[in-house]
Amino acid sequence: MINITFPDGSVREFEPGITPIEIAKNISHGLAKKVLVAEINNELHELSTPITTNSSLKLLTWDDKNGKSAFWHSSAHILAEAVQALYPNAKFTIGPSVENGFYYDIDFGETSFTSDDLPKVENKMLDLAKQSNPFKLYAISKADALDYYKKKDNQYKVELIENLTDGDITFCDQGSFTDLCRGGHIPDTGYVKAVKLLNVAGAYWRGDEKNKQLTRIYGVSFPKKEELDQYLFMLEEAKKRDHRKLGQELGLFAFSQKVGKGLPLWLPKGTDLRERLERFMRDAQKKAGYLQVVTPHIGSKQLYITSGHWDKYGKDSFQPIHTPEEDEIFMLKPMNCPHHCEIYKAEPRSYKDLPLRLAEFGTVYRYEQSGELHGLTRVRGFTQDDAHIFCRPDQVKEEFMKVIDLVLYVFKSLNFENFTAQVSLRDKVNREKYIGSEENWDKAEQQIQEAAKEKGLPTIIEYGEAAFYGPKLDFMVRDALNRSWQLGTIQVDYNLPERFELEYTGSDNQKHRPVMIHRAPFGSLERFIAVLTEHCAGDFPLWLTPTQVAVLPISEKFNDYSQKVVDFLKNAEIRTSFDERAEKIGKKIRESEMQKTPFMLIIGEKESSENLVSVRERGKGDVGTMGLEDFKNLVDQRIKENFNQ
RNA sequence: GCCGGUGUAGCUCAGCUGGUAGAGCAGCUGAUUUGUAAUCAGCAGGUCGCGGGUUCGAAUCCCCUCGCCGGCUCCA
């Protein structure tokens, strides 16, 4: 007999060779129907895999992350089978599951495949699913595997197999389709009840832009039709939160083809919101000991030769600006750090001056690839809430922790809860692409991780994601469509102090080199506002929103009293709009609702004769009448609630 | 930058296989004076993204180019 250990720690005995599906049946009929795949000793296996030794076993269903992965991965096989049936010459490469579905990268050769072709593939997939063909995993020798794909003239699979070890290679059959695959499938295709192919896209073989571009088909599948409907509904809802749509509807920003792509134009309301955010950050930074500075939008070529950016990015940047006379060359500034280094150098520094924290809302320009531009999240001209902290090596960790506090304060004030912290370290192998000493890197990487840990941040570590000059800690937040964006960033830099020969006099009266920390809690105002907009679906917090109150007279007869209300509110520094048109109240309310105005004051006969306002609050509806002072107090109280929660 | 899609009035969109453009909303004018998500009527508004070609004739077909959208690659 063998011992099987379950996730709850319980252990049961079974005959050697028993399969997970038999164990599931043994536990309950319901479970046996629901279970999709098994995790045996922490590895995904088919339910038909015999277990011969003492093992741990987790029976995974649709409710488990890995259960979904197996389901979607298996769906990718069905996608391939459908494509093979319709396009016999298509060559298959890889087809994994992803966070929300699956894809398959396919070389269609000369045939063009477009989104118009998706429905017929989708239908074929459903046909194949209905056949309930079992997924059969079996071992194959490297020679036979290579032979199989060489006959099919599939250089991609051949390349994959060549990198595998003989003895570890498995194929998986379902219906008439065979694929190289390491396993972890659902029992048969019949489990897939609903399929939606979402889009086609180009993707480079092995993610390298020098390689051939393949056609990637994205899809998602479900064990129940209703779940697909729900998912599609959710996607529609998410689109309504898109900051590009809301930005236009709420009059926050615009783009102009004439001005140029990736160059946002801030409209009055957007500017209002943006300036308020700036003020918020400026105040927080003042308390945290930052000093505000201002630097020009351009800098001489020499500045960037010193910083090293000229060599590394010169060719891929906006091209230099030449003056009419002499050989003067300037560049649009792609970052603020070199300027700040020169501010550091403007006077001699003592160890007593450190840390020196220089902050600037610095507008920078970067030549981003055209295909990368995306609303406000990826633009060519943007403003960072930048600051550089120059400190002694022994202050790095403490400064780092203070910045984490600041970022968390910002996130809390704006009700961001779903963020992750990503620690980006060097690539474990290719060390030559990083500058700076091994010792400094090790020290910095360690300090970042310690600081994050002590602050209790939920972190993920990514190797190879560090900047070339130092490791970093990024705060990642998702947009409406679940795409992940980097917002706040904290980066250690041992490079620029070296290149700019920054120094301070220590207590030993010797010259020492400071460490530089780059940090931007918002990241950029553009991206931050984009993600914030999607996060709150345009319902900005009361303290931040451009228009806090709309005053809506029921008829023009009450415009005079309404004007008094408006004056009172403006005097109380409450941002107020006044709709004095001769429209019906229903229409005025509707339009204010669509503008997501937090408060509306409805003014009619009763209000004007009794010096009252009738209050309609966002999300609550009519909350009754009150005097002006009481209303002002209500607004103040709501603002406080946001910060105290 | 690459693959695919797309581009008609300020906005959202219609316009079949080629016969020189239409709706709703917004705007303007007038009427209406209204009680918690759209009052009515009239008017005005477009070199159909730009440039070229095919054709007797192009929003529609072809080529080029620009913007936008979905991915890929990139992101100091």
Side-chain angles (χ1 to χ4, degrees):
Chain A
M1 299 297 272
I2 54 168
N3 288 327
I4 299 294
T5 311
F6 293 92
D8 63 359
S10 65
V11 180
R12 288 174 63 177
E13 285 198 332
F14 292 96
E15 294 281 340
I18 191 158
T19 63
I21 188 67
E22 287 162 349
I23 294 174
K25 279 179 188 156
N26 195 294
I27 295 170
S28 86
H29 186 64
L31 178 64
K33 276 182 82 175
K34 266 171 52 187
V35 67
L36 296 172
V37 69
E39 215 172 276
I40 306 169
N41 299 323
N42 296 319
E43 272 181 35
L44 279 187
H45 288 282
E46 280 70 13
L47 292 177
S48 56
T49 311
I51 307 175
T52 52
T53 56
N54 291 345
S55 303
S56 70
L57 174 70
K58 214 170 156 182
L59 295 165
L60 302 176
T61 69
W62 176 252
D63 299 324
D64 298 289
K65 194 165 167 257
N66 282 335
K68 281 194 179 71
S69 305
F71 191 89
W72 284 331
H73 168 74
S74 305
S75 301
H77 280 268
I78 306 175
L79 167 59
E81 186 182 4
V83 169
Q84 181 183 257
L86 297 166
Y87 302 85
N89 295 323
K91 291 176 193 170
F92 299 93
T93 68
I94 56 164
S97 65
V98 288
E99 202 179 339
N100 285 301
F102 57 89
Y103 67 79
Y104 217 116
D105 282 350
I106 302 165
D107 180 357
F108 281 94
E110 298 303 306
T111 316
S112 79
F113 185 91
T114 72
S115 48
D116 293 341
D117 301 314
L118 291 177
K120 69 180 178 209
V121 177
E122 209 173 279
N123 287 333
K124 185 72 188 171
M125 283 179 76
L126 288 170
D127 284 350
L128 294 168
K130 276 193 201 120
Q131 292 172 12
S132 296
N133 297 317
F135 287 94
K136 286 176 284 195
L137 192 75
Y138 56 93
I140 186 165
S141 73
K142 188 164 183 172
D144 287 349
L146 284 170
D147 189 50
Y148 178 84
Y149 279 110
K150 278 179 180 162
K151 274 189 187 138
K152 282 184 163 274
D153 196 25
N154 185 326
Q155 67 272 30
Y156 308 102
K157 293 284 190 189
V158 168
E159 192 181 319
L160 291 173
I161 294 166
E162 275 167 351
N163 288 320
L164 295 174
T165 316
D166 198 4
D168 287 350
I169 301 172
T170 48
F171 272 17
C172 181
D173 285 0
Q174 103 269 6
S176 59
F177 184 71
T178 298
D179 206 347
L180 167 72
C181 191
R182 85 167 74 84
H185 302 91
I186 58 177
D188 68 67
T189 61
Y191 282 64
V192 177
K193 303 289 188 206
V195 174
K196 181 75 187 170
L197 296 181
L198 298 161
N199 51 41
V200 291
Y204 300 103
W205 167 237
R206 304 211 131 178
D208 187 334
E209 66 180 322
K210 290 182 200 80
N211 286 340
K212 184 176 163 88
Q213 192 154 33
L214 308 165
T215 302
R216 174 171 297 181
I217 303 177
Y218 278 96
V220 66
S221 58
F222 295 90
K224 284 182 187 158
K225 175 80 171 65
E226 304 89 79
E227 298 201 41
L228 171 63
D229 295 339
Q230 268 174 28
Y231 179 76
L232 294 176
F233 178 74
M234 191 273 291
L235 275 187
E236 286 307 309
E237 288 300 301
K239 279 186 192 153
K240 292 181 190 163
R241 306 169 77 100
D242 191 312
H243 77 277
R244 293 165 296 188
K245 182 174 152 66
L246 285 168
Q248 181 191 59
E249 287 170 1
L250 302 179
L252 301 179
F253 58 89
F255 286 92
S256 145
Q257 195 171 334
K258 267 210 182 87
V259 171
K261 60 185 164 190
L263 299 171
L265 303 172
W266 287 87
L267 306 178
K269 280 186 186 166
T271 306
D272 184 275
L273 185 128
R274 177 190 157 119
E275 286 183 339
R276 191 155 287 104
L277 272 177
E278 273 190 38
R279 217 168 301 147
F280 165 75
M281 182 61 74
R282 213 181 291 249
D283 291 348
Q285 288 182 167
K286 206 171 188 177
K287 279 185 204 142
Y290 287 78
L291 306 171
Q292 206 73 24
V293 297
V294 174
T295 65
H297 285 223
I298 62 174
S300 83
K301 176 180 167 182
Q302 196 53 48
L303 180 69
Y304 298 104
I305 288 175
T306 302
S307 72
H309 293 107
W310 177 267
D311 273 349
K312 195 159 172 77
Y313 296 103
K315 296 175 293 297
D316 306 318
S317 301
F318 280 120
Q319 288 305 287
I321 301 163
H322 297 263
T323 56
E325 297 166 45
E326 303 172 41
D327 282 340
E328 284 186 307
I329 299 179
F330 294 90
M331 282 180 78
L332 281 168
K333 75 175 172 189
M335 80 296 292
N336 306 298
C337 358
H339 288 78
H340 289 191
C341 285
E342 288 300 300
I343 291 180
Y344 181 91
K345 288 190 85 169
E347 46 190 287
R349 306 289 176 182
S350 143
Y351 72 99
K352 294 176 191 167
D353 299 333
L354 304 185
L356 177 71
R357 310 182 187 91
L358 302 179
E360 174 177 19
F361 289 94
T363 303
V364 297
Y365 299 91
R366 298 180 186 178
Y367 181 76
E368 304 288 3
Q369 291 186 18
S370 60
E372 258 313 316
L373 300 174
H374 181 97
L376 283 186
T377 49
R378 194 77 185 272
V379 288
R380 283 179 167 176
F382 57 95
T383 303
Q384 299 176 305
D385 56 326
D386 211 357
H388 295 96
I389 300 168
F390 300 88
C391 64
R392 304 192 303 260
D394 62 290
Q395 294 171 319
V396 169
K397 188 172 154 193
E398 193 192 339
E399 284 305 304
F400 219 89
M401 299 204 348
K402 283 185 181 168
V403 178
I404 292 175
D405 283 338
L406 185 63
V407 174
L408 294 179
Y409 166 70
V410 170
F411 281 14
K412 189 164 182 281
S413 302
L414 290 154
N415 314 326
F416 273 144
E417 281 131 26
N418 296 319
F419 60 87
T420 51
Q422 177 180 314
V423 177
S424 298
L425 306 178
R426 277 170 301 178
D427 197 310
K428 282 178 171 166
V429 270
N430 300 316
R431 292 272 158 118
E432 66 281 3
K433 60 182 176 184
Y434 304 101
I435 51 182
S437 74
E438 190 80 8
E439 187 199 342
N440 278 342
W441 269 90
D442 286 341
K443 205 162 55 187
E445 289 186 343
Q446 195 197 334
Q447 284 175 318
I448 289 185
Q449 291 179 79
E450 279 174 18
K453 199 174 170 193
E454 283 178 38
K455 285 293 166 194
L457 288 180
T459 51
I460 48 167
I461 294 178
E462 292 285 347
Y463 292 93
E465 288 291 307
F468 72 93
Y469 51 78
K472 56 181 183 168
L473 174 69
D474 294 325
F475 290 83
M476 315 294 285
V477 180
R478 288 173 184 282
D479 71 7
L481 291 175
N482 209 32
R483 289 174 291 215
S484 187
W485 293 96
Q486 175 204 312
L487 290 180
T489 181
I490 318 175
Q491 313 182 358
V492 179
D493 189 344
Y494 287 102
N495 175 47
L496 285 181
E498 197 78 36
R499 300 191 73 112
F500 279 89
E501 300 178 328
L502 306 183
E503 39 188 39
Y504 64 89
T505 307
S507 56
D508 55 2
N509 200 29
Q510 299 293 305
K511 297 293 183 197
H512 297 274
R513 187 127 292 161
V515 179
M516 191 171 171
I517 298 172
H518 309 249
R519 43 104 287 173
F522 289 150
S524 77
L525 284 162
E526 283 74 9
R527 183 176 290 179
F528 191 83
I529 289 172
V531 176
L532 173 64
T533 304
E534 305 204 348
H535 179 73
C536 65
D539 290 333
F540 295 109
L542 183 58
W543 66 272
L544 183 63
T545 199
T547 303
Q548 295 170 310
V549 179
V551 175
L552 313 177
I554 282 171
S555 92
E556 287 175 304
K557 284 191 288 195
F558 313 113
N559 278 7
D560 285 350
Y561 173 68
S562 297
Q563 183 63 55
K564 282 184 194 147
V565 172
V566 170
D567 292 344
F568 172 86
L569 293 172
K570 288 197 169 163
N571 209 26
E573 295 191 354
I574 293 172
R575 301 185 291 281
T576 307
S577 71
F578 184 19
D579 189 346
E580 40 190 332
R581 296 173 305 167
E583 293 290 349
K584 290 180 80 166
I585 192 67
K587 179 165 186 162
K588 293 184 180 183
I589 287 170
R590 178 183 156 79
E591 289 181 5
S592 282
E593 283 287 346
M594 290 197 304
Q595 285 297 306
K596 313 218 176 235
T597 313
F599 285 104
M600 290 172 220
L601 300 183
I602 286 86
I603 312 282
E605 181 65 49
K606 182 165 177 278
E607 290 77 13
S608 60
S609 61
E610 295 175 40
N611 271 311
L612 295 172
V613 289
S614 179
V615 181
R616 183 183 162 106
E617 186 171 357
R618 180 170 68 196
K620 293 193 173 149
D622 191 349
V623 295
T625 55
M626 60 185 79
L628 281 170
E629 281 296 337
D630 287 343
F631 176 65
K632 178 184 177 297
N633 292 336
L634 175 65
V635 172
D636 290 345
Q637 187 197 329
R638 289 285 185 265
I639 289 173
K640 274 202 201 100
E641 281 167 11
N642 182 73
F643 284 100
N644 292 339
Q645 67 183 346

